[in-house]
Amino acid sequence: MHIKLLIFFCIILSLLTFGITLLFALYYIIILYTTEQAITNKRVVFKNGLIARKTEEMNLNRVETVEVEQSILGRIFGYGNVKLTGTGSSFVIFKFVEDPLEVRKSITETLSE
């Protein structure tokens, strides 16, 4: 929901910048509607892409660390990235997650079960 608010502000700002900011809003709209992120009881799945599709999966029992990355705008609007690092050098990053601290908390609770 917060990313939609950011898109709304980009559209309003585009009126002042003669449409330049509208390109940024369109970019984030495409990202928003072409990304799937899920955590099941067995697996972590991240899929994105409009024409080409990229899929990253990791077994939940392979997750070692869960990190949260938030920019200044992310702190203001309540979104961020959640990075799950697995055994070895594998990792999955959930991008533009609403309330990333709550997501991290629920992931760590699921891992401790």
Side-chain angles (χ1 to χ4, degrees):
M1 187 64 163
H2 297 291
I3 192 72
K4 292 179 184 178
L5 186 61
L6 179 63
I7 292 169
F8 174 75
F9 283 125
C10 284
I11 291 171
I12 296 299
L13 190 59
S14 71
L15 298 173
L16 300 173
T17 60
F18 304 106
I20 295 172
T21 315
L22 187 61
L23 296 175
F24 292 108
L26 290 174
Y27 172 75
Y28 285 113
I29 288 170
I30 291 170
I31 288 175
L32 181 66
Y33 288 105
T34 61
T35 300
E36 299 175 41
Q37 306 174 120
I39 299 172
T40 66
N41 58 348
K42 294 183 180 188
R43 188 174 295 266
V44 175
V45 180
F46 176 81
K47 298 178 185 180
N48 74 335
L50 180 62
I51 297 171
R53 190 85 165 145
K54 180 180 178 183
T55 302
E56 299 175 12
E57 295 185 15
M58 182 186 310
N59 289 335
L60 199 57
N61 61 359
R62 300 282 187 203
V63 174
E64 289 183 342
T65 62
V66 181
E67 302 173 32
V68 173
E69 300 170 351
Q70 278 186 299
S71 64
I72 294 171
L73 284 177
R75 298 271 316 225
I76 293 169
F77 291 109
Y79 70 91
N81 298 337
V82 178
K83 181 178 180 181
L84 297 110
T85 306
T87 54
S89 62
S90 62
F91 62 90
V92 175
I93 300 176
F94 289 163
K95 298 179 181 180
F96 301 109
V97 175
E98 255 185 68
D99 200 2
L101 297 174
E102 184 63 33
V103 172
R104 181 184 66 185
K105 180 182 172 187
S106 57
I107 292 171
T108 54
E109 287 174 357
T110 305
L111 289 173
S112 64
E113 292 176 355

